[in-house]
Amino acid sequence: MAEKTDVASIAVLGSINMDLVTTTDRRPVPGETVLGTGFAMVPGGKGSNQAIAAQRAGGSVRFLGAVGDDVFADELRRVLTDSGVNVERLRTVDGPSGVAAIVVDGGGENSIIVVGGANARMTELTDADLDVIAGADILLCQLEIPLDTVAAAARHARANGTTVVLNPSPTQDLPADLWANIDVAVVNSGEAEQLGRALDPVTHVVVTRGADGATYRGPDGRDLSQPSPRVDVIDTTGAGDTFTGALAAAWHRGPEYALNWAGTAGALATTKLGASSSIPTEDEIRAALPAN
């Protein structure tokens, strides 16, 4: 296990996509064509977004994932390195990189279709990957790569004293032995409702509630509630990932501080278009941080 410092060492295992973002006054209903108002290609993916968010929020991050051998790969790698994320364990596989088609309406709400591509090829962990997980303070995972890989990483982290943070999104049924290896679950209110009692074994559960902030349920009945800073919302894409990454970066300071830090980061992320492009820096979060 890594020597503890004031900067959290975080291994992020997850997806990386090219987000194809279209803006429109309103999202189409089935069978309808509407005119768009803008288009952008923005690197994203829940794993990549959370890795960048954790790094920018003050963590020291190593990313474990995969890109394809297509035209998107170099840009996906570059956005991580430009944010200071270590990409030594970002592998290249044959075929396309992951992509996400995103439609954002005039109110900032979005609809997303994700195609896994290279992310679906993350079917095993190498010895070097396992060493990174064992040496980290925190392992941060989501569910946009194969579930067996996430489960293997969580088992290895638990065996080596690494705190496991899971954002179980997209929501799906998870085996009991995976939940048993999770220390912190981060979900939105809809995911919390879908998962229900499945979250009961998890020691720390954080629920994001959009403009209403976030709540925390800890051991011994400890509960916290953190309101969200009021901001002018442009695009909610990536706000949840920003919250999760920032929470991981601040978790070693305790749940109350981490909830405040992450809530501020998530709110700031809604004030710009795109996912990775909207993630705030440590200085920006600190400047906007409400008093605890």
Side-chain angles (χ1 to χ4, degrees):
M1 184 167 60
E3 180 182 351
K4 301 298 181 183
T5 69
D6 195 46
V7 176
S9 170
I10 304 168
V12 178
L13 171 66
S15 60
I16 181 168
N17 301 322
M18 182 60 77
D19 292 349
L20 310 177
V21 185
T22 302
T23 55
T24 181
D25 290 338
R26 63 177 180 84
R27 288 170 288 173
V29 300
E32 181 186 24
T33 299
V34 299
L35 293 177
T37 57
F39 174 77
M41 293 194 301
V42 183
K46 297 190 72 66
S48 177
N49 293 343
Q50 292 179 17
I52 293 169
Q55 181 73 34
R56 291 184 184 174
S60 176
V61 178
R62 303 186 74 174
F63 184 73
L64 291 74
V67 294
D69 56 3
D70 57 4
V71 296
F72 294 143
D74 287 346
E75 178 65 14
L76 293 175
R77 187 180 296 271
R78 184 191 63 77
V79 74
L80 288 167
T81 57
D82 283 356
S83 294
V85 175
N86 183 304
V87 295
E88 291 178 359
R89 305 309 312 156
L90 176 60
R91 65 187 74 170
T92 299
V93 300
D94 295 337
S97 300
V99 297
I102 302 173
V103 179
V104 183
D105 66 22
E109 294 297 327
N110 62 69
S111 299
I112 304 174
I113 300 173
V114 177
V115 181
N119 300 305
R121 305 281 298 278
M122 284 290 295
T123 55
E124 79 290 322
L125 297 170
T126 68
D127 288 342
D129 294 335
L130 294 173
D131 287 345
V132 168
I133 292 168
D137 298 319
I138 288 176
L139 169 68
L140 175 56
C141 300
Q142 321 77 33
L143 301 178
E144 288 185 341
I145 64 170
L147 183 57
D148 287 347
T149 306
V150 176
R155 285 194 301 271
H156 190 70
R158 173 58 63 91
N160 287 276
T162 299
T163 298
V164 182
V165 180
L166 176 68
N167 173 214
S169 179
T171 306
Q172 55 190 276
D173 291 333
L174 301 181
D177 61 340
L178 175 55
W179 284 122
N181 289 319
I182 304 305
D183 298 294
V184 186
V186 185
V187 295
N188 62 35
S189 55
E191 292 162 347
E193 184 175 348
Q194 291 177 29
L195 291 167
R197 299 298 298 273
L199 292 169
D200 287 354
V202 182
T203 303
H204 307 274
V205 177
V206 176
V207 181
T208 60
R209 302 186 182 279
D212 293 328
T215 57
Y216 163 82
R217 186 267 292 162
D220 303 321
R222 185 184 183 195
D223 294 318
L224 297 170
S225 180
Q226 179 65 47
S228 177
R230 298 305 173 189
V231 296
D232 294 326
V233 175
I234 301 299
D235 177 15
T236 60
T237 305
D241 292 334
T242 298
F243 179 100
T244 302
L247 186 86
W251 187 252
H252 63 295
R253 296 179 180 271
E256 185 172 5
Y257 184 93
L259 209 64
N260 195 18
W261 186 257
T264 302
L268 290 175
T270 69
T271 64
K272 297 178 183 178
L273 184 66
S276 60
S277 58
S278 68
I279 296 170
T281 65
E282 184 177 6
D283 288 343
E284 289 170 332
I285 299 169
R286 186 173 291 110
L289 195 67
N292 250 333

